[in-house]
Amino acid sequence: MAERPYITIVSGLPRSGTSLMMQMIHAGGVPAVTDEIRTPDTDNPRGYYEFEKVKQIKSDKSWLPGARGHVVKMVHLLLLDLPADHQYRVVFMRRNLEEVLKSQSVMLERQGKKGAALPPATLMKMYQDQIDKVLRWMGERPNFKFIEVNYNQLVRDPHAAAASLAAFLGEGGSSMDIEKMVAAVDPSL
């Protein structure tokens, strides 16, 4: 299999399906950059697929060259800190904002933490504005290609989503195992 000449990034809002997407892409044959510091729990029984250094992207970009040919998860706003000297393929997860807020609230409650003090309508507008800004920003950069994936459609029809992802990430003759990608989707989660 040919190495992908870019860094694959799974991004989106927290609780938008980014961990599921990481599982799919990894199952399909793309090595994942993770550190397993955040372990599986009730909210993500298959794990979070996170890499702590991602959070310091403003001050530490040293890990980026090693991520070429791999997939890494990054919250949406951190995309704005990626340097122009790398090529990126971003899989941007979209999910109904009311569902995102509900999922965030349930997770925070389980962890005994308080959520944002903002009303849901304010939070949804803020999130939508952030998403619009990030998508517009990526669209203006020649080193970024991105695809938007709707979480609900993915769960309803994982085969179509896997085929679309395989085509998007298949540059340079790199193929993906679509059946393993589909098998990574568990609608009960």
Side-chain angles (χ1 to χ4, degrees):
M1 182 187 306
E3 182 179 314
R4 288 167 177 80
Y6 50 81
I7 300 168
T8 301
I9 297 173
V10 171
S11 190
L13 292 170
R15 309 305 300 164
S16 65
T18 54
S19 296
L20 171 59
M21 183 52 65
M22 286 291 293
Q23 294 163 25
M24 284 183 72
I25 293 172
H26 185 240
V30 180
V33 177
T34 65
D35 53 25
E36 299 181 31
I37 290 174
R38 190 171 183 192
T39 56
D41 60 22
T42 305
D43 296 301
N44 269 10
R46 291 186 177 175
Y48 286 87
Y49 280 76
E50 292 180 354
F51 184 59
E52 282 296 310
K53 284 189 172 188
V54 164
K55 296 175 185 174
Q56 282 83 41
I57 190 66
K58 276 186 193 248
S59 60
D60 180 8
K61 297 171 178 40
S62 63
W63 57 272
L64 282 169
R68 184 174 173 252
H70 294 68
V71 61
V72 65
K73 185 165 86 168
M74 179 176 278
V75 72
H76 65 296
L77 289 176
L78 293 179
L79 293 171
L80 302 172
D81 296 317
L82 288 169
D85 59 347
H86 294 281
Q87 296 294 312
Y88 308 100
R89 297 296 173 275
V90 178
V91 179
F92 198 91
M93 295 302 296
R94 300 292 299 258
R95 186 175 183 184
N96 176 290
L97 291 177
E98 290 176 359
E99 291 177 19
V100 167
L101 291 180
K102 183 177 180 183
S103 181
Q104 287 176 356
S105 176
V106 168
M107 184 178 76
L108 289 171
E109 188 175 311
R110 256 196 281 262
Q111 295 172 352
K113 297 178 181 176
K114 287 191 172 215
L118 298 172
T122 303
L123 264 177
M124 286 193 292
K125 176 161 181 7
M126 182 184 76
Y127 280 156
Q128 188 59 59
D129 290 347
Q130 290 174 357
I131 290 168
D132 293 344
K133 176 182 177 179
V134 169
L135 293 176
R136 188 171 45 254
W137 182 87
M138 285 193 298
E140 295 168 351
R141 282 161 180 73
N143 60 322
F144 277 83
K145 290 185 181 176
F146 67 95
I147 184 173
E148 295 180 61
V149 177
N150 179 283
Y151 171 81
N152 302 93
Q153 290 173 355
L154 163 67
V155 172
R156 270 194 307 276
D157 190 356
H159 201 279
S164 178
L165 284 165
F168 177 68
L169 298 174
E171 182 177 299
S174 299
S175 62
M176 298 185 74
D177 188 326
I178 292 175
E179 295 311 315
K180 285 184 179 177
M181 292 172 76
V182 171
V185 179
D186 180 353
S188 71
L189 297 177

